Protein backbone atom coordinates (compact mmCIF):
# COMPACT_ATOMS: atom_id res chain seq x y z
CA UNK A 1 0.00 0.00 0.00
CA UNK A 2 1.36 3.43 -0.95
CA UNK A 3 1.46 6.43 1.39
CA UNK A 4 1.10 8.85 -1.50
CA UNK A 5 0.18 8.71 -5.18
CA UNK A 6 1.38 11.62 -7.28
CA UNK A 7 -0.44 12.31 -10.54
CA UNK A 8 1.81 14.09 -13.05
CA UNK A 9 5.56 13.84 -13.59
CA UNK A 10 6.26 17.53 -14.22
CA UNK A 11 8.44 19.66 -11.92
CA UNK A 12 5.69 19.97 -9.27
CA UNK A 13 4.87 16.26 -9.20
CA UNK A 14 8.50 15.13 -9.30
CA UNK A 15 9.42 17.46 -6.45
CA UNK A 16 6.37 16.39 -4.41
CA UNK A 17 7.15 12.70 -4.91
CA UNK A 18 10.87 13.08 -4.12
CA UNK A 19 10.17 15.14 -0.99
CA UNK A 20 7.68 12.64 0.43
CA UNK A 21 10.07 9.82 -0.52
CA UNK A 22 12.94 11.56 1.28
CA UNK A 23 10.77 11.48 4.42
CA UNK A 24 10.46 7.71 4.21
CA UNK A 25 7.03 7.61 2.53
CA UNK A 26 6.20 4.93 0.00
CA UNK A 27 5.39 6.94 -3.12
CA UNK A 28 4.01 6.07 -6.56
CA UNK A 29 4.43 8.65 -9.33
CA UNK A 30 2.05 8.26 -12.30
CA UNK A 31 2.86 10.04 -15.56
CA UNK A 32 0.84 9.62 -18.72
CA UNK A 33 3.73 10.34 -21.10
CA UNK A 34 6.52 7.88 -21.81
CA UNK A 35 9.04 10.28 -20.25
CA UNK A 36 9.11 12.56 -17.20
CA UNK A 37 9.18 16.36 -17.46
CA UNK A 38 8.17 16.73 -21.10
CA UNK A 39 7.29 20.42 -20.64
CA UNK A 40 10.27 21.05 -18.38
CA UNK A 41 12.51 19.92 -21.24
CA UNK A 42 11.30 22.74 -23.52
CA UNK A 43 11.44 25.51 -20.90
CA UNK A 44 13.65 28.51 -21.57
CA UNK A 45 14.04 27.41 -25.21
CA UNK A 46 15.54 24.13 -24.03
CA UNK A 47 17.82 25.91 -21.53
CA UNK A 48 15.40 25.94 -18.54
CA UNK A 49 15.15 29.21 -16.67
CA UNK A 50 14.88 27.27 -13.41
CA UNK A 51 14.32 30.15 -11.00
CA UNK A 52 15.32 33.72 -10.25
CA UNK A 53 18.07 34.83 -7.88
CA UNK A 54 16.15 37.88 -6.56
CA UNK A 55 15.28 37.74 -2.84
CA UNK A 56 12.33 35.35 -2.42
CA UNK A 57 10.36 38.11 -0.67
CA UNK A 58 10.40 40.02 -3.97
CA UNK A 59 8.87 37.14 -5.93
CA UNK A 60 5.32 38.26 -5.14
CA UNK A 61 5.91 41.39 -7.27
CA UNK A 62 6.28 39.10 -10.28
CA UNK A 63 3.34 36.85 -9.44
CA UNK A 64 0.26 38.07 -11.25
CA UNK A 65 -2.39 36.04 -9.40
CA UNK A 66 -2.36 34.83 -5.78
CA UNK A 67 1.22 35.65 -4.83
CA UNK A 68 0.34 35.75 -1.12
CA UNK A 69 -0.99 32.19 -1.31
CA UNK A 70 2.59 31.09 -2.05
CA UNK A 71 4.19 32.51 1.15
CA UNK A 72 4.26 29.19 3.05
CA UNK A 73 5.47 27.24 0.03
CA UNK A 74 8.31 29.73 -0.56
CA UNK A 75 9.16 29.66 3.15
CA UNK A 76 9.36 25.85 3.01
CA UNK A 77 11.52 25.72 -0.12
CA UNK A 78 12.86 28.84 -1.79
CA UNK A 79 15.08 29.68 -4.77
CA UNK A 80 18.26 29.16 -2.72
CA UNK A 81 16.97 25.74 -1.67
CA UNK A 82 16.28 24.86 -5.31
CA UNK A 83 19.69 26.02 -6.55
CA UNK A 84 21.42 24.12 -3.71
CA UNK A 85 19.40 21.00 -4.47
CA UNK A 86 20.37 21.14 -8.15
CA UNK A 87 24.02 21.65 -7.25
CA UNK A 88 23.92 18.72 -4.82
CA UNK A 89 22.58 16.63 -7.72
CA UNK A 90 25.54 17.67 -9.88
CA UNK A 91 23.90 20.47 -11.91
CA UNK A 92 25.86 23.74 -11.58
CA UNK A 93 23.88 26.88 -12.15
CA UNK A 94 24.57 30.34 -13.60
CA UNK A 95 22.78 33.67 -13.34
CA UNK A 96 21.95 35.77 -16.38
CA UNK A 97 20.31 39.15 -17.13
CA UNK A 98 17.29 39.87 -14.93
CA UNK A 99 18.64 37.46 -12.24
CA UNK A 100 17.43 34.51 -14.32
CA UNK A 101 19.00 31.24 -13.19
CA UNK A 102 19.90 28.54 -15.75
CA UNK A 103 21.90 25.32 -15.63
CA UNK A 104 25.50 26.18 -16.57
CA UNK A 105 25.26 23.56 -19.34
CA UNK A 106 22.27 25.41 -20.93
CA UNK A 107 20.54 22.02 -21.04
CA UNK A 108 17.11 21.59 -19.48
CA UNK A 109 17.56 17.81 -19.86
CA UNK A 110 20.21 18.03 -17.11
CA UNK A 111 17.55 19.34 -14.71
CA UNK A 112 15.12 16.56 -15.66
CA UNK A 113 17.83 13.91 -15.27
CA UNK A 114 18.80 15.33 -11.86
CA UNK A 115 15.20 15.12 -10.68
CA UNK A 116 15.07 11.53 -11.96
CA UNK A 117 18.14 10.75 -9.82
CA UNK A 118 16.50 12.38 -6.81
CA UNK A 119 13.37 10.25 -7.31
CA UNK A 120 15.44 7.07 -7.50
CA UNK A 121 17.55 8.07 -4.44
CA UNK A 122 14.30 8.38 -2.50
CA UNK A 123 12.85 5.09 -3.74
CA UNK A 124 9.92 6.62 -5.59
CA UNK A 125 8.21 4.10 -7.86
CA UNK A 126 7.63 5.62 -11.28
CA UNK A 127 5.03 4.39 -13.75
CA UNK A 128 5.17 5.95 -17.21
CA UNK A 129 2.37 5.65 -19.81
CA UNK A 130 0.01 5.65 -16.83
CA UNK A 131 -2.84 8.12 -17.42
CA UNK A 132 -5.11 8.66 -14.45
CA UNK A 133 -8.84 8.88 -15.26
CA UNK A 134 -10.23 9.80 -11.86
CA UNK A 135 -9.59 10.11 -8.17
CA UNK A 136 -11.66 7.87 -5.90
CA UNK A 137 -13.30 9.74 -3.05
CA UNK A 138 -15.77 8.61 -0.43
CA UNK A 139 -17.07 10.57 2.57
CA UNK A 140 -14.89 13.50 1.46
CA UNK A 141 -11.73 11.38 1.80
CA UNK A 142 -9.39 10.23 -0.93
CA UNK A 143 -9.48 6.48 -1.53
CA UNK A 144 -7.12 6.10 -4.50
CA UNK A 145 -7.04 6.54 -8.28
CA UNK A 146 -8.50 4.87 -11.34
CA UNK A 147 -6.25 4.62 -14.40
CA UNK A 148 -7.48 5.04 -17.97
CA UNK A 149 -7.07 1.27 -18.46
CA UNK A 150 -9.51 0.66 -15.61
CA UNK A 151 -6.96 -0.41 -12.98
CA UNK A 152 -7.71 0.88 -9.45
CA UNK A 153 -4.90 1.73 -7.04
CA UNK A 154 -5.90 2.34 -3.43
CA UNK A 155 -4.23 5.08 -1.40
CA UNK A 156 -5.41 7.62 1.17
CA UNK A 157 -3.36 10.52 -0.17
CA UNK A 158 -3.13 11.87 -3.73
CA UNK A 159 -1.13 14.82 -5.00
CA UNK A 160 -2.70 16.25 -8.15
CA UNK A 161 0.03 17.94 -10.23
CA UNK A 162 -1.25 17.66 -13.79
CA UNK A 163 -0.31 21.21 -14.87
CA UNK A 164 -2.39 23.68 -16.85
CA UNK A 165 -3.78 23.62 -20.40
CA UNK A 166 -1.09 25.06 -22.65
CA UNK A 167 1.27 23.11 -24.92
CA UNK A 168 -1.07 20.12 -24.73
CA UNK A 169 1.43 17.98 -26.63
CA UNK A 170 3.54 17.97 -23.43
CA UNK A 171 0.71 16.24 -21.54
CA UNK A 172 -0.99 19.16 -19.81
CA UNK A 173 -4.47 18.73 -21.22
CA UNK A 174 -6.49 19.97 -18.26
CA UNK A 175 -7.29 16.48 -16.86
CA UNK A 176 -6.70 17.62 -13.29
CA UNK A 177 -9.33 20.37 -13.50
CA UNK A 178 -11.93 17.78 -14.48
CA UNK A 179 -10.85 15.36 -11.74
CA UNK A 180 -10.97 18.06 -9.02
CA UNK A 181 -14.27 19.49 -10.29
CA UNK A 182 -15.89 16.03 -10.03
CA UNK A 183 -15.32 16.24 -6.28
CA UNK A 184 -16.66 19.74 -5.75
CA UNK A 185 -13.65 21.98 -6.39
CA UNK A 186 -14.28 25.19 -8.29
CA UNK A 187 -12.04 26.06 -11.20
CA UNK A 188 -11.17 29.66 -12.04
CA UNK A 189 -11.65 29.69 -15.80
CA UNK A 190 -8.36 28.71 -17.47
CA UNK A 191 -7.15 31.44 -19.85
CA UNK A 192 -3.98 32.05 -21.84
CA UNK A 193 -1.26 33.98 -19.96
CA UNK A 194 2.27 34.83 -21.07
CA UNK A 195 0.76 34.71 -24.54
CA UNK A 196 1.27 36.66 -27.78
CA UNK A 197 -1.42 39.21 -28.70
CA UNK A 198 -3.48 39.45 -31.88
CA UNK A 199 -4.27 42.61 -33.76
CA UNK A 200 -6.71 43.03 -36.60
CA UNK A 201 -4.86 46.16 -37.78
CA UNK A 202 -3.58 45.06 -41.16
CA UNK A 203 -0.78 47.63 -41.38
CA UNK A 204 0.98 46.04 -38.36
CA UNK A 205 1.17 42.79 -40.31
CA UNK A 206 3.40 44.60 -42.83
CA UNK A 207 5.93 44.93 -39.98
CA UNK A 208 6.25 41.14 -39.60
CA UNK A 209 9.80 40.27 -38.48
CA UNK A 210 10.62 43.74 -37.09
CA UNK A 211 12.10 43.52 -33.58
CA UNK A 212 12.50 46.46 -31.21
CA UNK A 213 14.93 45.79 -28.38
CA UNK A 214 13.55 48.02 -25.69
CA UNK A 215 10.01 49.39 -25.70
CA UNK A 216 7.53 50.14 -22.97
CA UNK A 217 4.03 48.70 -23.32
CA UNK A 218 1.10 50.10 -21.33
CA UNK A 219 -2.51 48.99 -20.99
CA UNK A 220 -5.38 49.95 -18.73
CA UNK A 221 -6.48 46.92 -16.70
CA UNK A 222 -9.62 47.87 -14.80
CA UNK A 223 -8.69 50.91 -12.74
CA UNK A 224 -4.96 50.08 -12.89
CA UNK A 225 -2.32 50.67 -15.51
CA UNK A 226 -0.15 47.66 -16.40
CA UNK A 227 3.31 48.40 -17.76
CA UNK A 228 6.10 46.21 -19.09
CA UNK A 229 9.43 47.06 -20.68
CA UNK A 230 11.55 44.89 -22.96
CA UNK A 231 11.75 43.45 -26.46
CA UNK A 232 8.83 43.55 -28.88
CA UNK A 233 8.42 41.48 -32.01
CA UNK A 234 5.90 42.12 -34.81
CA UNK A 235 4.54 38.88 -36.25
CA UNK A 236 2.08 37.82 -38.95
CA UNK A 237 -0.73 37.75 -36.35
CA UNK A 238 0.21 40.74 -34.22
CA UNK A 239 2.63 41.23 -31.36
CA UNK A 240 4.99 39.01 -29.40
CA UNK A 241 8.30 39.22 -27.51
CA UNK A 242 8.94 39.49 -23.74
CA UNK A 243 7.27 42.90 -23.17
CA UNK A 244 4.05 41.69 -24.82
CA UNK A 245 4.15 38.20 -23.29
CA UNK A 246 4.47 39.66 -19.80
CA UNK A 247 1.75 42.31 -20.19
CA UNK A 248 -0.62 39.64 -21.53
CA UNK A 249 -0.69 38.04 -18.08
CA UNK A 250 -2.16 41.21 -16.59
CA UNK A 251 -4.77 41.30 -19.37
CA UNK A 252 -5.52 37.59 -19.18
CA UNK A 253 -8.64 37.64 -17.02
CA UNK A 254 -9.47 41.32 -16.78
CA UNK A 255 -9.36 42.62 -20.34
CA UNK A 256 -12.27 42.85 -22.73
CA UNK A 257 -11.41 43.01 -26.40
CA UNK A 258 -10.92 45.02 -28.53
CA UNK A 259 -8.45 46.70 -26.20
CA UNK A 260 -6.11 49.61 -26.77
CA UNK A 261 -2.47 49.25 -25.81
CA UNK A 262 0.09 52.04 -26.00
CA UNK A 263 3.69 51.44 -26.99
CA UNK A 264 6.49 53.84 -26.18
CA UNK A 265 8.94 52.94 -28.94
CA UNK A 266 11.82 54.95 -27.47
CA UNK A 267 11.35 54.96 -23.67
CA UNK A 268 14.83 56.33 -22.92
CA UNK A 269 13.81 59.73 -24.43
CA UNK A 270 11.22 62.08 -22.96
CA UNK A 271 8.81 63.46 -25.58
CA UNK A 272 10.67 66.81 -25.47
CA UNK A 273 14.10 65.17 -25.83
CA UNK A 274 12.82 63.12 -28.74
CA UNK A 275 11.37 66.16 -30.50
CA UNK A 276 14.74 67.90 -30.04
CA UNK A 277 16.54 64.86 -31.49
CA UNK A 278 14.16 64.79 -34.48
CA UNK A 279 14.90 68.46 -35.08
CA UNK A 280 18.62 67.74 -35.17
CA UNK A 281 17.97 64.95 -37.69
CA UNK A 282 15.99 67.33 -39.91
CA UNK A 283 18.73 69.98 -39.71
CA UNK A 284 21.28 67.40 -40.88
CA UNK A 285 19.09 66.14 -43.74
CA UNK A 286 17.92 69.17 -45.62
CA UNK A 287 16.66 68.49 -49.15
CA UNK A 288 15.40 65.00 -48.24
CA UNK A 289 11.90 63.72 -47.63
CA UNK A 290 10.90 64.05 -43.95
CA UNK A 291 10.31 60.26 -43.83
CA UNK A 292 13.94 59.62 -44.88
CA UNK A 293 15.47 62.04 -42.40
CA UNK A 294 14.99 60.28 -39.07
CA UNK A 295 18.59 59.22 -38.63
CA UNK A 296 17.96 55.51 -38.03
CA UNK A 297 16.11 56.12 -34.76
CA UNK A 298 13.65 53.37 -35.69
CA UNK A 299 13.59 50.63 -38.36
CA UNK A 300 12.78 52.14 -41.75
CA UNK A 301 9.92 49.62 -42.14
CA UNK A 302 8.07 51.40 -39.31
CA UNK A 303 8.32 54.95 -40.59
CA UNK A 304 5.35 54.96 -42.99
CA UNK A 305 3.12 53.46 -40.30
CA UNK A 306 4.22 56.13 -37.83
CA UNK A 307 3.56 58.91 -40.37
CA UNK A 308 0.11 57.46 -41.03
CA UNK A 309 -0.68 57.19 -37.29
CA UNK A 310 0.60 60.76 -36.76
CA UNK A 311 -1.52 62.03 -39.69
CA UNK A 312 1.58 63.31 -41.52
CA UNK A 313 2.18 63.34 -45.27
CA UNK A 314 5.19 61.07 -46.01
CA UNK A 315 5.86 63.08 -49.19
CA UNK A 316 6.61 66.19 -47.18
CA UNK A 317 10.12 67.59 -47.62
CA UNK A 318 12.30 68.31 -44.58
CA UNK A 319 12.18 72.07 -45.41
CA UNK A 320 8.35 72.00 -45.26
CA UNK A 321 8.23 70.22 -41.88
CA UNK A 322 7.40 72.52 -38.99
CA UNK A 323 7.57 72.20 -35.18
CA UNK A 324 3.94 71.00 -35.13
CA UNK A 325 4.82 68.05 -37.40
CA UNK A 326 7.90 67.13 -35.37
CA UNK A 327 6.02 67.34 -32.06
CA UNK A 328 3.21 65.21 -33.49
CA UNK A 329 5.66 62.56 -34.69
CA UNK A 330 7.45 62.54 -31.31
CA UNK A 331 4.12 62.06 -29.49
CA UNK A 332 3.20 59.18 -31.81
CA UNK A 333 6.55 57.44 -31.28
CA UNK A 334 6.14 57.82 -27.52
CA UNK A 335 2.58 56.52 -27.52
CA UNK A 336 1.79 54.32 -30.51
CA UNK A 337 -1.73 52.93 -30.23
CA UNK A 338 -2.40 49.31 -31.21
CA UNK A 339 -5.87 47.79 -31.05
CA UNK A 340 -5.54 44.28 -29.68
CA UNK A 341 -8.28 41.82 -30.61
CA UNK A 342 -7.34 38.91 -28.30
CA UNK A 343 -4.73 36.34 -27.36
CA UNK A 344 -3.20 33.54 -29.36
CA UNK A 345 -4.95 30.27 -28.40
CA UNK A 346 -4.30 28.87 -24.92
CA UNK A 347 -2.29 26.01 -26.40
CA UNK A 348 0.35 28.56 -27.47
CA UNK A 349 0.45 30.32 -24.11
CA UNK A 350 3.48 29.74 -21.89
CA UNK A 351 1.27 29.41 -18.86
CA UNK A 352 -2.38 29.01 -17.88
CA UNK A 353 -3.97 31.69 -15.74
CA UNK A 354 -6.75 30.18 -13.64
CA UNK A 355 -7.15 26.68 -12.24
CA UNK A 356 -8.04 25.26 -8.82
CA UNK A 357 -9.44 28.06 -6.69
CA UNK A 358 -6.76 28.81 -4.07
CA UNK A 359 -9.48 29.63 -1.52
CA UNK A 360 -10.22 25.89 -1.46
CA UNK A 361 -6.60 24.91 -0.70
CA UNK A 362 -4.91 25.22 2.70
CA UNK A 363 -1.83 27.37 1.91
CA UNK A 364 0.20 25.86 4.80
CA UNK A 365 -0.08 22.26 3.55
CA UNK A 366 -1.58 22.56 0.04
CA UNK A 367 -4.23 20.04 1.09
CA UNK A 368 -7.74 20.49 -0.27
CA UNK A 369 -10.16 22.10 2.18
CA UNK A 370 -12.90 19.95 0.64
CA UNK A 371 -11.36 16.47 0.32
CA UNK A 372 -9.13 14.98 3.02
CA UNK A 373 -5.92 13.56 1.60
CA UNK A 374 -6.06 15.48 -1.70
CA UNK A 375 -3.11 17.82 -2.33
CA UNK A 376 -2.31 20.22 -5.18
CA UNK A 377 0.94 21.59 -6.60
CA UNK A 378 2.15 23.55 -9.62
CA UNK A 379 0.33 25.14 -12.50
CA UNK A 380 -2.95 23.36 -11.80
CA UNK A 381 -3.50 25.88 -8.99
CA UNK A 382 -4.72 29.39 -9.71
CA UNK A 383 -1.26 30.96 -9.38
CA UNK A 384 0.72 32.40 -12.28
CA UNK A 385 3.72 34.66 -12.67
CA UNK A 386 5.69 36.68 -15.21
CA UNK A 387 8.66 35.24 -17.11
CA UNK A 388 11.99 35.07 -15.26
CA UNK A 389 11.95 31.61 -13.64
CA UNK A 390 9.09 32.37 -11.25
CA UNK A 391 6.65 29.80 -12.63
CA UNK A 392 9.07 26.91 -12.20
CA UNK A 393 9.89 28.09 -8.68
CA UNK A 394 6.13 28.06 -7.96
CA UNK A 395 5.98 24.46 -9.24
CA UNK A 396 9.03 23.33 -7.23
CA UNK A 397 8.10 25.14 -4.00
CA UNK A 398 4.49 23.94 -4.05
CA UNK A 399 5.61 20.42 -4.97
CA UNK A 400 8.00 20.44 -2.03
CA UNK A 401 5.43 21.75 0.47
CA UNK A 402 2.75 19.27 -0.57
CA UNK A 403 5.23 16.36 -0.42
CA UNK A 404 6.46 17.50 2.99
CA UNK A 405 2.91 17.88 4.30
CA UNK A 406 1.94 14.25 3.78
CA UNK A 407 1.48 12.73 7.22
CA UNK A 408 0.68 9.05 7.44
C1 LIG B 1 7.43 26.78 -24.01
C2 LIG B 1 7.46 26.98 -22.51
C3 LIG B 1 8.59 27.51 -21.93
C4 LIG B 1 8.61 27.72 -20.54
N1 LIG B 1 9.76 28.22 -19.98
C5 LIG B 1 9.80 28.44 -18.65
C6 LIG B 1 11.00 28.88 -18.03
O1 LIG B 1 12.06 28.96 -18.65
N2 LIG B 1 10.95 29.17 -16.70
C7 LIG B 1 9.80 29.03 -15.96
O2 LIG B 1 9.81 29.33 -14.76
N3 LIG B 1 8.67 28.53 -16.50
C8 LIG B 1 8.65 28.21 -17.82
N4 LIG B 1 7.52 27.69 -18.38
C9 LIG B 1 6.38 27.34 -17.49
C10 LIG B 1 6.65 25.98 -16.80
O3 LIG B 1 7.03 25.04 -17.76
C11 LIG B 1 5.42 25.50 -16.06
O4 LIG B 1 5.02 26.47 -15.16
C12 LIG B 1 5.72 24.20 -15.31
O5 LIG B 1 6.11 23.17 -16.19
C13 LIG B 1 4.51 23.73 -14.49
O6 LIG B 1 4.86 22.55 -13.84
P1 LIG B 1 3.76 21.47 -13.42
O7 LIG B 1 4.52 20.31 -12.86
O8 LIG B 1 2.73 22.11 -12.60
O9 LIG B 1 3.04 21.05 -14.76
P2 LIG B 1 3.61 20.32 -16.08
O10 LIG B 1 5.04 20.63 -16.29
O11 LIG B 1 2.66 20.65 -17.16
O12 LIG B 1 3.52 18.78 -15.72
C14 LIG B 1 2.28 18.12 -15.58
C15 LIG B 1 2.47 16.65 -15.89
O13 LIG B 1 1.27 15.94 -15.59
C16 LIG B 1 1.07 14.95 -16.56
N5 LIG B 1 -0.36 14.59 -16.60
C17 LIG B 1 -1.38 15.38 -17.00
N6 LIG B 1 -2.54 14.73 -16.91
C18 LIG B 1 -2.24 13.49 -16.42
C19 LIG B 1 -3.01 12.34 -16.12
N7 LIG B 1 -4.34 12.31 -16.31
N8 LIG B 1 -2.39 11.23 -15.66
C20 LIG B 1 -1.03 11.21 -15.48
N9 LIG B 1 -0.25 12.26 -15.77
C21 LIG B 1 -0.85 13.39 -16.23
C22 LIG B 1 1.53 15.60 -17.85
O14 LIG B 1 1.83 14.65 -18.85
C23 LIG B 1 2.75 16.39 -17.37
O15 LIG B 1 3.94 15.64 -17.51
C24 LIG B 1 7.47 27.43 -19.75
C25 LIG B 1 6.34 26.89 -20.35
C26 LIG B 1 6.34 26.65 -21.73
C27 LIG B 1 5.11 26.06 -22.35
Amino acid sequence: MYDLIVIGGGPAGMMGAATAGARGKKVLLLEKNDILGKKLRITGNGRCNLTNSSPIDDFSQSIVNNGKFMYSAFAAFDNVGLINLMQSLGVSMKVEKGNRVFPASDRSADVVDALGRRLRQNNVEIRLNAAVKEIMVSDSRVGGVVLEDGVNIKCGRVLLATGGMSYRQTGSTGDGYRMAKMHGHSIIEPRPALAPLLTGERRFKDLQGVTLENVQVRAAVGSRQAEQQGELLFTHFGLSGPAIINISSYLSRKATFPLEIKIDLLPHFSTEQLAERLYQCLAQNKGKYFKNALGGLLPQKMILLLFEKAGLNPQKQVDQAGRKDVDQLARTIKSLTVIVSGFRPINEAIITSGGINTKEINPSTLESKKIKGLYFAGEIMDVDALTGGYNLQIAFSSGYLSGASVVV
Side-chain angles (χ1 to χ4, degrees), residues 8 10-12 31-33 43-44 49 132 163 167 171 175 350 378-379 389 392:
E31 165 55 53
K32 72 173 169 187
N33 289 324
T43 55
N49 178 195
V132 175
Y167 281 69
D175 297 4
I350 289 179
E379 200 177 322
L392 280 176

Side-chain angles (χ1 to χ4, degrees), residues 6-15 29-52 100-102 127 129-134 146-148 160-176 178-179 194 347-352 377-381 383 385-396 398:
V6 178
I7 311 175
M14 285 192 276
M15 182 56 80
L29 172 60
L30 299 171
E31 165 55 53
K32 72 173 169 187
N33 289 324
D34 55 3
I35 49 168
L36 293 174
K38 202 164 177 187
K39 186 175 276 181
L40 184 56
R41 288 168 199 271
I42 60 165
T43 55
N45 283 324
R47 296 172 60 227
C48 182
N49 178 195
L50 184 78
T51 184
N52 196 282
R100 289 160 195 251
V101 178
F102 293 86
R127 262 190 238 173
N129 301 307
V132 175
K133 190 163 74 179
E134 63 184 77
V146 183
L147 302 185
E148 285 290 352
L160 192 53
T162 46
M165 285 192 74
S166 73
Y167 281 69
R168 295 171 68 88
Q169 66 277 21
T170 64
S172 44
T173 49
D175 297 4
R178 181 185 46 75
M179 289 187 234
L194 298 182
N347 197 36
E348 294 173 34
I350 289 179
I351 197 117
T352 304
E379 200 177 322
I380 189 172
M381 304 187 300
V383 183
L386 302 180
T387 57
Y390 305 104
N391 286 300
L392 280 176
Q393 184 68 48
I394 289 169
F396 284 116
S398 58

Side-chain angles (χ1 to χ4, degrees), residues 238-360:
L239 308 169
S240 190
I244 294 295
I245 297 278
N246 276 326
I247 208 156
S248 77
S249 284
Y250 290 102
L251 307 179
S252 181
R253 56 176 85 179
K254 299 206 180 85
T256 46
F257 297 108
L259 167 103
E260 201 177 83
I261 62 167
K262 300 273 187 192
I263 306 175
D264 182 346
L265 297 170
L266 294 171
H268 47 288
F269 288 112
S270 69
T271 310
E272 295 69 34
Q273 286 168 335
L274 179 60
E276 215 36 61
R277 177 70 189 269
L278 290 171
Y279 259 119
Q280 286 166 11
C281 291
L282 296 195
Q284 288 157 6
N285 287 285
K286 290 205 182 307
K288 286 192 182 172
Y289 283 120
F290 187 8
K291 66 175 181 185
N292 294 333
L294 303 183
L297 273 174
L298 286 162
Q300 195 58 31
K301 238 180 158 180
M302 292 203 70
I303 304 298
L304 280 183
L305 171 103
L306 290 169
F307 270 65
E308 192 184 321
K309 288 269 188 183
L312 298 172
N313 176 2
Q315 298 309 326
K316 206 173 232 183
Q317 298 278 334
V318 162
D319 311 317
Q320 299 166 328
R323 178 160 279 280
K324 216 172 122 217
D325 299 324
V326 170
D327 288 347
Q328 182 57 29
L329 185 59
R331 279 196 295 273
T332 305
I333 293 173
K334 293 291 292 173
S335 192
L336 178 67
T337 304
V338 185
I339 306 296
V340 170
S341 53
F343 302 102
R344 287 294 282 178
I346 192 163
N347 197 36
E348 294 173 34
I350 289 179
I351 197 117
T352 304
S353 169
I356 310 286
N357 190 339
T358 53
K359 292 197 178 82
E360 300 168 2

